[in-house]
Amino acid sequence: MPSPYHFTHALCRTPAPSAVHGIRADGGPDPDFTGLAAEHAAYVATLRDLGLAVEVLPPLDDFPDALFTEDVALTFPEGAILLRPGAPSRTGEVDHIRDALAAHHPRLLEMTTGHAEGGDVLRLADRVIIGLSDRTDRAGATELAGLLAKLGQHAEIAQTPPGVLHFKTGCSLIDERTILAVPAMRDCPEFAGLEVVLTPTGEEGAANILRVRDTVLIGDRWLATHAMLAARGVPFRPMATEQIARIDAGLSCMSLRW
Ligand code: CIR
């Protein structure tokens, strides 16, 4: 089975000044743009340091959330799929990433119905889980599962708990057999056969980690989760995420990887 995190490439997008108006569920304060841009730059530098060839697309001021490239497509060595974001303000982002994806992926498939965002798609070693959420509906997930099959990927459809933005807001891979999940996702039936490690109390926000090759990227303020990873012998790099967290984002959101 191919590794779900032995990436060689990533596609990111520089944040536009409008990113401070990015969507957030709780109506909290705007991020500071300078700080947000610094977090993004550090993220791109880290991916490069881990050995990935990273292309960074230009900012899109008309689309405040366009720096979160993960949500508009899925990318695999075998090809890519353009998605249909469920957030109306993000629909138009797809047209702005098409050419860049086509340049890397001669096999470029495209959804035509319903909605799905990449933050709802968790890639495992032997399958992909698509979480239904406020952004990903049944029609979109069903069509997406069919497109994934064309790329040789088996997909299962799961439920994201209420109040969790994306499926991967609440869970991520530590390694091929181990999931880090918030307590509300502990009994997700699609995790059967995997070890589920829960985020420590008060550190639910840590769940959106990003495994890249041998290293886990994790928010820098989740000290109990750092200790847990250290105890398990998992190499990790703490990353500043305070500003992107103000617009409901974590570490997987800022790149497409393959
Ligand atoms: C949004 O609500 O769409 C953005 N403010 C955050 C997107 C985060 N993306 C992700 O979790 N994959």
Side-chain angles (χ1 to χ4, degrees):
M1 279 296 162
S3 160
Y5 41 69
H6 196 85
F7 306 117
T8 54
H9 292 77
L11 186 58
C12 300
R13 185 181 293 285
T14 302
S18 63
V20 300
H21 305 303
I23 308 169
R24 74 216 69 174
D26 68 0
D30 288 355
D32 165 68
F33 181 69
T34 305
L36 183 142
E39 289 175 3
H40 188 269
Y43 178 85
V44 169
T46 298
L47 294 183
R48 289 188 170 134
D49 192 45
L50 293 172
L52 274 61
V54 185
E55 180 179 350
V56 183
L57 300 171
L60 290 178
D61 210 46
D62 288 345
F63 297 95
D65 290 295
L67 71 153
F68 304 121
T69 52
E70 172 175 76
D71 294 319
V72 294
L74 295 180
T75 45
F76 299 89
E78 299 78 14
I81 304 173
L82 286 163
L83 303 177
R84 286 168 56 89
S89 66
R90 302 200 59 186
T91 312
E93 294 175 28
V94 177
D95 287 336
H96 291 275
I97 207 161
R98 180 178 278 105
D99 289 352
L101 278 179
H104 289 284
H105 298 281
R107 186 131 197 244
L108 184 58
L109 310 179
E110 186 158 0
M111 286 179 63
T112 59
T113 187
H115 297 285
E117 294 191 0
D120 284 317
V121 180
L122 178 67
R123 200 176 308 185
L124 305 177
D126 58 349
R127 64 205 151 95
V128 166
I129 301 176
I130 307 170
L132 300 175
S133 71
D134 287 350
R135 302 289 182 87
T136 295
D137 58 21
R138 175 77 60 183
T142 303
E143 186 190 32
L144 183 55
L147 295 174
L148 283 162
K150 292 185 182 180
L151 297 181
Q153 300 284 335
H154 172 69
E156 295 176 353
I157 298 177
Q159 190 64 54
T160 305
V164 176
L165 170 60
H166 284 130
F167 193 74
K168 281 189 301 194
T169 309
C171 68
S172 316
L173 280 195
I174 294 177
D175 60 38
E176 293 191 12
R177 307 300 316 161
T178 317
I179 306 256
L180 175 66
V182 295
M185 295 180 77
R186 118 192 294 147
D187 297 322
C188 181
E190 289 73 20
F191 295 162
L194 299 170
E195 182 185 3
V196 179
V197 175
L198 296 183
T199 50
T201 305
E203 296 206 359
E204 291 75 10
N208 185 259
I209 56 173
L210 177 63
R211 171 103 186 210
V212 178
R213 299 190 176 188
D214 293 335
T215 302
V216 165
L217 309 187
I218 179 167
D220 59 3
R221 60 197 180 287
W222 312 119
L223 302 184
T225 313
H226 296 177
M228 201 180 72
L229 292 176
R232 300 177 74 91
V234 178
F236 65 92
R237 288 202 199 187
M239 308 286 302
T241 57
E242 190 182 338
Q243 302 306 320
I244 62 157
R246 291 188 177 191
I247 44 174
D248 296 351
L251 289 161
S252 71
C253 324
M254 292 187 284
S255 59
L256 280 166
R257 307 155 296 272
W258 65 93

